[in-house]
Amino acid sequence: MPAGTGRPVTGQIKARKKLIRPSSASSNLQCYSISVLDNVQRPATAATLGMLSDKSGFLPRPTTQAGGPRRQWKPPQEEDAFIEQAKHPRRLTLGAVDGINDLDFIKRPGVIQGSVSEQLKSKIEEQINIETLEQLKQAFAAADADRSGQLDLEEFKTLLKSRLYLKGNKENQIDSLFMKIDWSSEGKINWDEFCTYMQLEYAEKEDSYLRAKEVTFNLPARIQSPQHKNPILKITDTPDGTFIACSQDGMVTFWGANVELKETKYVVNTEAKNKQKIKWITDFVIMSQWKKVLVGTGDREIQFFDSSSYKPYCQISSLETVPLKLDYCSTGSDECLILYGDSEGCINILVINSVGECLRTWNKMPCKEGFIAEISLSDAISKSKVQFLRWKVHNDWVQQLKYYHEIGQVISCSNHQETALVIGSTTGSTRVDQHTSSYVEKSKKPMVNLGTSKPRLDADQKVFYVYKGVKCFDFSKDKNIIVTGGMDRIVRLWNPYVSDKPTAMLRGHNAPIFYLCIASDENRIFSLSTDKCIKVWDIHDHNCLLTVRPKSHKIRGDLQASHYSNTAKSLAVATDQMAVLNLKLKPTKHADITITHKEPVTSCKYNSKFKQVVTCSESSVIKLWDLETGTAIFEYGDAHGDAAITCMTFDNTERRLITGGRDGCLKIWNYNNGHCLRVLKKESGNDEICDLTYVEMNRNRFVVSVGWDKRINMYSDSSTDVNVMFVQNPLENWSDDVNFGHKEDILSVAQCPPNLLATAGYDGEVIVWNMVSGHKYCHLRAPTLPEYEDQSLDGDLSINKLLFIPVRAYNKDAATLIASGPRGHIHMWNVFQGGSLKAQFAGSNTNGAMISSMAITPLEDENEENALLFVGDSCGFIFIFDIQGYGLNGEEDEPPEMVHTWRGHIDSINNMELVFHEKQKLLMTASNDCTVRLWNFDGDYIGTFGQPDPWDIYKPSTYRHPMVPYDVLIDPMSLPSHPVLGEKQNTMQVLQSHYRKEGDDRPITPQFTYKKEQFYVDDDTIAKQLSQLHDILKDESLTEDEAKKFRGKWLRHEKTKIKEIDRGGPSDFQMLKWSQIKEPPTIQRPKSMKKNKDDSFDITFD
């Protein structure tokens, strides 16, 4: 045994090692750097360390690979020998893996593809990894010219440009990175701050990466007692997600994804007289193209049944061996392959041309035992267009085989470790014409010796050595991997090109592997071991994403069969029970709809310094998005533990994010890396925070929060205070707030420079405060609206949003404060001289909708040009009002002009944010429907953050407009009001409304005339007659026939119904023919049989 091989070397293996891959292969073998983490922005700190080349500067960050560290891939140097070899003519042979690389490119696990990864590599942060930190630390100290231990922006730029060999214009990226690290706006950073930022950013990226790959089943499994009395040997599924299970006695059952038994069929003769001889079924395959079912039996037969009725069709008998494993594949419109493996390790292949003709011919053959038409294998070959091939492949029973038409190869496995897995061709390299469109030999067929088998040429197959053999496998052309499992309890991933060593070995099972499946669309591998332990693996990272043990799924008994359905997203497991494990999927309403968060979005903010969008959700997840493309940049979760984030804002520098949650805490973040800088909360009684704002007054900075505690809590935000702790308590409450403040929950807060603060409560009360003195400035309460009907039990008094108009701050006659309520109306207040109401108008034209959010364009001067008020309601509608000069000089009786309106969401809009990016004017809306969407001021739909196709805000052609969100399109509330339903008009009035002039009161006549007399009764006539019906029917002298004339719409039907015409002569009944009924014949009593007990042949009949 050679050193380091760990397995005996046979003559076959030696010969195989000396082979050179056929020159007819589609491409040269190359070694690729597998960097799976770049596509999903996984941090470099999660990777294994590699070596740094002094010549090439700083290489991209290393990543993990089974078998050692990864290096950056470089094209191999072409040697003269290979160039000369390429000039030789191609050899006409078929390689063992021909066809695998027919695509333009191979989607290998982790190969970087797409523009997102290209942009990621260009980021400076991604070029800094653990290897470079030591050298950067030395360079950091050297770049500190003034020896202060800190670097300013210019020194930091010099350091990165010199040490990272940056090319092109990276000034903006360096400035942005410096601001991210310098969250306190001191203008300098030290080495500890630099390392803290990098470590926390990568840690949060790793958590975000793992959260995106989370998978779980609905536990416990759905279990039913099957109808099968014998073990189930095969489970498969149909395109609609129905599971089909076949047992050894020929019973076929159909199961739904919820384990409901749909139907039961049989693929054996249940009416046979001699039932002592049981026919055992060995395998079961569906021929979907021909609506047939293939069944292998222990009597060396392959039977065909109709897949709709399961009636017997025909069978091929007299096989040389028992077909243990079957497979079928359509290779053309009228061509197919039927393959089966046997106990001798042979792969038997039936190449059938003119399938329809062959099946019809076989169906006309004589029936065996009056059950099924039969033809022997030798007759099928000689009399039909069938070619039979038999290859000696394994030295043990064939455990599984599958033909993959996309690569034109057969993959089979056995428990013999020297031939554990074999990828081979169907016809061999000696027949080049077999890879053409037809398998039919043009010349006369040679005599076939069915009992003999021959091995394939070494050039026609690739053999994989696996310790203790392979019991199951699966192959994915999209991912270009083969996954195998066997008795050694290890799941191996293979590159089909390379048989010497697996690309990865997944350990974790404690029993032999029973079943494997590759879910290419989900980038997952499902594995099941004989101890009923289920594991889900990630194809890219080779990590175990989920482990489900018998204690969790509650499946009992020995394993018999298993199958994963990509359609139903369910794993069916057969023991002495039938069980189905369903994957937890997105809610139905999100199945085909792009969502930004998995939970309702509570707030969204735009950061003009970094040109990023920040969103948060009820699951306490914060996400960062690129405004210009709508793609995700970064995310971190558990910001407030299990409590939802209710509100957020930026500080005055826009480098820190402040969030408030239902846990009653405020948190200050360096949001670029998820570093929590400070926690603001009371010592006790922390109730839900509803709103917050950041206030800068007289060079003092405060964080102001309001919520369910009915108090205004102010926290000092001083960078020079050395006594500031990580957990900070609020300042003392104002005396007026304690004695004369809100009596209900405070829902909103707004600040107006220089010193005004407004708060609004659940009871509709608005209080304006003087922040300098802490005294109440004015108290505002809206008058009751006439003829208003409350839509909810609380009286619709809550005010969800307050806005100040800063340019009117010193105008004592104008409306300065805008409130979103109460009672669904927008109120504009003057806060001077005790406060007065200047305007009141409905903010939504949707019946029963409340105002949930507002935003106003920032005004630069008193001219109030382009002064727009944006309003969002609880039904998802968006309204834009022109408020230029509105409420500026006295009270207003009419509402402002509505510029535009549209529906943006199907649920309540929680937050609206105006974005002024360069020359772009955009609107962001966050809603309970889990989406954050971007619009322009004309209402054009740009896109939803998180959608697969990025947009470019500078190119309107990339907008979704003129389309609208799909969920909004199909929602019933999005339908326009119909005049017949909304205004109670009849159809004729609607049709002729655009033809009538004002003042034209002529009655409407029917638009069309016919030769037959027409009767027209309008709705007014019917209503008048119905109103008189009650009094008329009180007359007791009316007969039934007379009263009938006044009931309902009888007049219309009576005038238009077709009346019978009496033409004389006999009626239809009188013209019926009749005949006399005959007496039925008497039934003779059958004769009884008597048998002599002493003489079995003495039988008499009476």
Side-chain angles (χ1 to χ4, degrees):
M1 180 184 298
T5 59
R7 57 184 171 93
V9 180
T10 62
Q12 180 181 359
I13 298 297
K14 289 181 179 179
R16 178 168 54 85
K17 285 189 174 182
K18 294 179 181 178
L19 294 176
I20 299 176
R21 190 165 181 260
S23 60
S24 58
S26 56
S27 64
N28 295 328
L29 289 177
Q30 295 177 346
C31 178
Y32 288 87
S33 172
I34 302 177
S35 177
V36 298
L37 307 180
D38 287 345
N39 281 334
V40 288
Q41 305 180 20
R42 195 178 181 189
T45 51
T48 306
L49 296 182
M51 300 300 294
L52 184 66
S53 173
D54 294 332
K55 297 181 179 180
S56 59
F58 293 102
L59 294 176
R61 52 188 175 85
T63 46
T64 309
Q65 180 184 13
R70 301 177 189 166
R71 293 178 179 270
Q72 183 184 19
W73 177 78
K74 295 182 179 180
Q77 298 294 330
E78 294 184 351
E79 299 181 4
D80 296 338
F82 288 102
I83 296 176
E84 288 296 327
Q85 184 180 2
K87 296 179 181 179
H88 294 170
R90 296 184 62 179
R91 185 166 59 91
L92 298 178
T93 57
L94 301 174
V97 289
D98 284 351
I100 291 183
N101 196 26
D102 288 340
L103 297 177
D104 295 336
F105 63 94
I106 297 177
K107 295 182 180 178
R108 293 181 172 81
V111 173
I112 302 172
Q113 297 168 5
S115 60
V116 175
S117 58
E118 299 285 339
Q119 298 173 3
L120 180 65
K121 281 188 173 182
S122 65
K123 292 182 61 177
I124 296 177
E125 294 96 314
E126 297 300 324
Q127 301 184 37
I128 302 174
N129 52 52
I130 298 296
E131 298 177 5
T132 64
L133 285 179
E134 186 64 31
Q135 298 186 15
L136 276 177
K137 184 177 181 180
Q138 299 175 2
F140 201 93
D144 185 11
D146 54 2
R147 304 302 176 186
S148 62
Q150 296 178 326
L151 298 182
D152 58 19
L153 179 58
E154 294 302 324
E155 293 174 338
F156 187 68
K157 287 182 179 180
T158 304
L159 169 65
L160 293 186
K161 290 180 179 179
S162 60
R163 301 305 301 179
L164 295 183
Y165 305 100
L166 299 178
K167 298 180 181 180
N169 186 12
K170 301 289 184 178
E171 294 287 338
N172 294 334
Q173 287 195 30
I174 298 177
D175 293 344
S176 177
L177 178 59
F178 185 85
M179 287 190 294
K180 291 176 182 179
I181 301 173
D182 182 25
W183 55 267
S184 59
S185 303
E186 295 178 352
K188 294 185 178 182
I189 60 174
N190 56 37
W191 175 251
D192 291 338
E193 290 175 341
F194 178 79
C195 291
T196 299
Y197 171 82
M198 299 301 298
Q199 191 272 333
L200 290 176
E201 181 184 13
Y202 289 143
E204 290 297 339
K205 282 187 177 180
E206 178 74 8
D207 293 341
S208 172
Y209 176 82
L210 295 177
R211 279 196 302 270
K213 293 181 174 294
E214 286 180 353
V215 58
T216 182
F217 286 103
N218 291 312
L219 298 176
R222 297 178 181 267
I223 302 174
Q224 290 289 342
S225 298
Q227 305 291 327
H228 300 270
K229 297 180 181 179
N230 290 279
I232 295 175
L233 57 92
K234 183 71 172 288
I235 301 177
T236 185
D237 68 328
T238 59
D240 62 351
T242 300
F243 290 104
I244 304 177
C246 180
S247 58
Q248 290 181 354
D249 58 356
M251 177 184 285
V252 180
T253 54
F254 297 79
W255 303 84
N258 295 324
V259 207
E260 68 275 9
L261 181 61
K262 295 183 176 181
E263 196 175 1
T264 300
K265 297 288 185 179
Y266 290 89
V267 290
V268 292
N269 188 5
T270 57
E271 300 178 357
K273 297 180 180 179
N274 185 10
K275 294 187 178 181
Q276 296 180 355
K277 182 182 178 181
I278 301 176
K279 185 181 292 291
W280 291 104
I281 306 300
T282 60
D283 205 356
F284 175 90
V285 176
I286 298 177
M287 298 177 64
S288 56
Q289 185 180 4
W290 299 99
K291 294 181 172 37
K292 297 292 183 292
V293 171
L294 279 176
V295 175
T297 70
D299 295 341
R300 297 183 299 167
E301 300 166 341
I302 297 177
Q303 297 181 338
F304 297 78
F305 290 82
D306 188 87
S307 61
S308 57
S309 62
Y310 277 78
K311 293 182 179 180
Y313 196 81
C314 60
Q315 74 175 15
I316 302 175
S317 61
S318 302
L319 305 180
E320 289 300 321
T321 54
V322 175
L324 299 179
K325 299 295 178 181
L326 282 175
D327 188 37
Y328 160 83
C329 182
S330 175
T331 57
S333 60
D334 200 19
E335 299 176 354
C336 74
L337 295 180
I338 297 178
L339 307 92
Y340 66 91
D342 55 29
S343 57
E344 298 179 3
C346 295
I347 303 299
N348 304 268
I349 305 174
L350 288 172
V351 183
I352 305 177
N353 192 48
S354 301
V355 182
E357 179 184 348
C358 291
L359 291 177
R360 288 190 295 269
T361 302
W362 299 344
N363 186 35
K364 297 177 183 178
M365 294 294 177
C367 292
K368 180 180 181 182
E369 300 177 357
F371 175 64
I372 188 170
E374 180 184 36
I375 185 173
S376 64
L377 178 60
S378 58
D379 290 343
I381 297 173
S382 59
K383 298 180 181 180
S384 304
K385 297 179 180 180
V386 177
Q387 181 184 0
F388 179 73
L389 302 170
R390 181 175 171 87
W391 301 109
K392 177 63 176 177
V393 179
H394 303 280
N395 294 328
D396 201 345
W397 289 17
V398 177
Q399 296 290 331
Q400 182 181 344
L401 84 160
K402 181 72 174 176
Y403 175 78
Y404 295 93
H405 185 54
E406 57 266 28
I407 63 175
Q409 305 291 317
V410 182
I411 305 179
S412 58
C413 67
S414 72
N415 286 332
H416 182 239
Q417 59 187 12
E418 296 294 338
T419 56
L421 185 79
V422 178
I423 304 177
S425 61
T426 56
T427 56
S429 61
T430 57
R431 294 290 304 276
V432 179
D433 61 342
Q434 299 299 328
H435 261 248
T436 59
S437 61
S438 175
Y439 285 90
V440 182
E441 185 179 358
K442 305 299 181 181
S443 61
K444 184 179 178 180
K445 286 188 178 181
M447 296 299 295
V448 179
N449 189 353
L450 301 180
T452 60
S453 61
K454 58 180 180 179
R456 294 192 185 102
L457 297 178
D458 292 334
D460 294 334
Q461 68 179 11
K462 184 172 286 293
V463 182
F464 294 75
Y465 172 92
V466 181
Y467 178 63
K468 292 188 177 180
V470 173
K471 290 182 65 67
C472 54
F473 70 87
D474 198 10
F475 169 73
S476 172
K477 174 68 182 300
D478 293 336
K479 303 300 178 181
N480 198 44
I481 59 171
I482 301 176
V483 56
T484 63
M487 296 296 295
D488 62 350
R489 303 165 298 178
I490 300 176
V491 178
R492 293 175 171 86
L493 274 67
W494 303 83
N495 186 329
Y497 290 104
V498 183
S499 61
D500 294 334
K501 183 180 180 181
T503 59
M505 300 174 67
L506 311 181
R507 293 179 170 87
H509 281 287
N510 298 321
I513 310 300
F514 180 82
Y515 175 77
L516 288 170
C517 178
I518 300 175
S520 301
D521 297 339
E522 306 163 27
N523 293 320
R524 297 168 185 158
I525 298 172
F526 294 85
S527 62
L528 173 64
S529 56
T530 54
D531 59 354
K532 299 184 292 298
C533 177
I534 302 169
K535 287 184 177 290
V536 184
W537 310 83
D538 183 75
I539 292 180
H540 291 167
D541 287 347
H542 310 152
N543 293 331
C544 182
L545 303 176
L546 177 68
T547 299
V548 183
R549 303 192 184 278
K551 189 176 181 180
S552 301
H553 57 60
K554 308 294 184 183
I555 301 176
R556 302 290 180 262
D558 295 333
L559 284 177
Q560 298 174 4
S562 183
H563 181 76
Y564 177 77
S565 172
N566 281 295
T567 303
K569 305 299 180 185
S570 303
L571 179 66
V573 179
T575 58
D576 51 1
Q577 303 169 325
M578 188 68 182
V580 173
L581 285 161
N582 297 316
L583 284 177
K584 281 187 178 180
L585 304 175
K586 292 191 297 184
T588 305
K589 69 175 184 177
H590 294 155
D592 300 320
I593 300 171
T594 299
I595 59 174
T596 307
H597 285 263
K598 295 181 180 179
E599 292 78 20
V601 184
T602 55
S603 184
C604 62
K605 293 294 179 182
Y606 171 67
N607 190 298
S608 59
K609 293 290 182 64
F610 298 105
K611 298 179 177 57
Q612 295 173 350
V613 173
V614 183
T615 62
C616 62
S617 69
E618 288 189 355
S619 61
S620 200
V621 174
I622 299 174
K623 291 187 177 182
L624 275 67
W625 308 85
D626 181 20
L627 173 70
E628 297 182 354
T629 60
T631 56
I633 298 175
F634 184 61
E635 79 170 78
Y636 50 97
D638 298 329
H640 285 257
D642 296 332
I645 302 174
T646 56
C647 52
M648 64 180 179
T649 189
F650 289 107
D651 67 351
N652 59 332
T653 64
E654 295 191 24
R655 300 190 188 185
R656 294 179 300 165
L657 179 70
I658 308 170
T659 60
R662 288 181 181 166
D663 56 356
C665 297
L666 295 170
K667 292 187 177 182
I668 303 178
W669 305 85
N670 181 353
Y671 76 96
N672 285 289
N673 63 353
H675 182 199
C676 182
L677 306 173
R678 203 183 314 164
V679 177
L680 313 178
K681 66 177 182 177
K682 298 192 296 185
E683 293 182 356
S684 61
N686 291 291
D687 295 317
E688 178 176 331
I689 295 174
C690 296
D691 198 6
L692 63 90
T693 185
Y694 192 86
V695 176
E696 188 174 9
M697 183 179 62
N698 299 330
R699 297 185 179 180
N700 296 318
R701 294 175 293 180
F702 303 95
V703 178
V704 182
S705 67
V706 295
W708 287 11
D709 61 353
K710 308 178 183 63
R711 293 291 173 262
I712 301 173
N713 299 304
M714 299 183 64
Y715 300 85
S716 175
D717 184 37
S718 176
S719 59
T720 59
D721 190 356
V722 296
N723 297 322
V724 174
M725 306 296 290
F726 177 75
V727 178
Q728 182 179 341
N729 297 326
L731 303 176
E732 185 179 355
N733 294 114
W734 297 329
S735 59
D736 278 17
D737 183 23
V738 177
N739 299 323
F740 310 107
H742 288 274
K743 301 299 185 292
E744 282 290 345
D745 302 338
I746 305 176
L747 304 182
S748 180
V749 62
Q751 190 257 346
C752 179
N755 61 346
L756 292 183
L757 185 76
T759 56
Y762 184 76
D763 56 356
E765 183 180 31
V766 179
I767 301 177
V768 182
W769 308 85
N770 187 332
M771 294 188 63
V772 176
S773 62
H775 294 302
K776 184 167 61 173
Y777 190 75
C778 68
H779 184 277
L780 309 174
R781 185 176 288 275
T784 304
L785 294 170
E787 301 180 358
Y788 178 82
E789 296 182 1
D790 292 337
Q791 303 295 324
S792 59
L793 297 177
D794 60 3
D796 304 334
L797 298 177
S798 61
I799 300 176
N800 297 312
K801 188 67 176 177
L802 289 174
L803 292 175
F804 274 104
I805 306 178
V807 296
R808 300 182 183 181
Y810 299 99
N811 191 337
K812 297 185 178 182
D813 297 326
T816 308
L817 179 65
I818 306 175
S820 65
R823 301 178 183 89
H825 281 61
I826 296 175
H827 295 72
M828 301 184 69
W829 298 90
N830 178 281
V831 299
F832 298 100
Q833 290 94 30
S836 60
L837 183 63
K838 292 297 183 180
Q840 182 181 20
F841 59 93
S844 173
N845 55 17
T846 308
N847 187 23
M850 296 292 110
I851 306 302
S852 57
S853 182
M854 295 190 306
I856 187 173
T857 53
L859 305 177
E860 298 179 356
D861 51 36
E862 296 181 358
N863 294 330
E864 298 186 3
E865 295 183 3
N866 301 321
L868 300 176
L869 176 65
F870 295 80
V871 178
D873 67 10
S874 56
C875 295
F877 286 90
I878 300 170
F879 306 89
I880 304 179
F881 297 94
D882 184 1
I883 60 171
Q884 180 178 356
Y886 188 80
L888 188 61
N889 301 310
E891 297 183 2
E892 301 283 353
D893 296 329
E894 297 295 329
E897 178 187 357
M898 183 185 295
V899 179
H900 200 43
T901 180
W902 71 93
R903 194 177 191 197
H905 300 270
I906 61 173
D907 210 332
S908 177
I909 298 176
N910 293 326
N911 187 246
M912 305 180 79
E913 180 82 357
L914 301 181
V915 177
F916 296 89
H917 179 69
E918 297 181 0
K919 295 183 180 180
Q920 302 290 329
K921 297 180 180 180
L922 309 173
L923 170 67
M924 267 194 316
T925 56
S927 171
N928 275 339
D929 61 6
C930 308
T931 62
V932 177
R933 289 176 174 146
L934 192 65
W935 319 80
N936 61 18
F937 282 12
D938 295 329
D940 297 342
Y941 176 41
I942 297 177
T944 300
F945 287 94
Q947 68 185 29
D949 300 326
W951 64 71
D952 187 346
I953 60 174
Y954 304 106
K955 295 181 180 179
S957 60
T958 61
Y959 296 177
R960 292 284 179 157
H961 180 77
M963 294 190 297
V964 297
Y966 179 71
D967 53 341
V968 174
L969 179 66
I970 64 176
D971 191 78
M973 286 193 66
S974 303
L975 295 176
S977 60
H978 196 279
V980 174
L981 302 177
E983 301 180 11
K984 304 298 182 184
Q985 297 181 354
N986 57 46
T987 306
M988 195 58 61
Q989 289 174 334
V990 175
L991 293 175
Q992 296 191 358
S993 60
H994 59 284
Y995 294 115
R996 297 173 63 89
K997 300 179 180 179
E998 294 184 4
D1000 188 359
D1001 297 331
R1002 290 177 298 174
I1004 300 175
T1005 57
Q1007 185 174 0
F1008 303 101
T1009 58
Y1010 304 90
K1011 294 182 179 180
K1012 186 178 178 180
E1013 184 180 0
Q1014 298 292 309
F1015 296 93
Y1016 179 79
V1017 182
D1018 59 10
D1019 294 338
D1020 295 336
T1021 303
I1022 295 175
K1024 183 177 179 180
Q1025 292 176 356
L1026 290 177
S1027 64
Q1028 299 173 357
L1029 178 63
H1030 182 70
D1031 297 332
I1032 294 175
L1033 293 181
K1034 283 185 177 180
D1035 188 358
E1036 297 180 357
S1037 63
L1038 290 177
T1039 63
E1040 183 66 24
D1041 293 337
E1042 292 175 342
K1044 185 178 180 181
K1045 299 179 180 179
F1046 301 97
R1047 291 180 178 167
K1049 298 182 179 179
W1050 178 84
L1051 280 177
R1052 175 178 296 183
H1053 300 294
E1054 185 68 20
K1055 292 179 180 179
T1056 58
K1057 74 178 183 179
I1058 301 175
K1059 297 181 180 179
E1060 297 182 3
I1061 301 176
D1062 186 7
R1063 303 182 184 276
S1067 63
D1068 293 338
F1069 175 75
Q1070 294 172 343
M1071 296 177 64
L1072 291 176
K1073 295 182 179 181
W1074 62 277
S1075 59
Q1076 187 176 0
I1077 300 177
K1078 294 183 179 180
E1079 295 292 335
T1082 58
I1083 301 175
Q1084 297 181 357
R1085 182 182 177 186
K1087 296 180 179 182
S1088 60
M1089 181 180 67
K1090 292 184 178 180
K1091 185 177 181 181
N1092 189 350
K1093 296 182 179 179
D1094 298 331
D1095 187 1
S1096 60
F1097 294 98
D1098 185 7
I1099 300 174
T1100 59
F1101 295 91
D1102 294 338

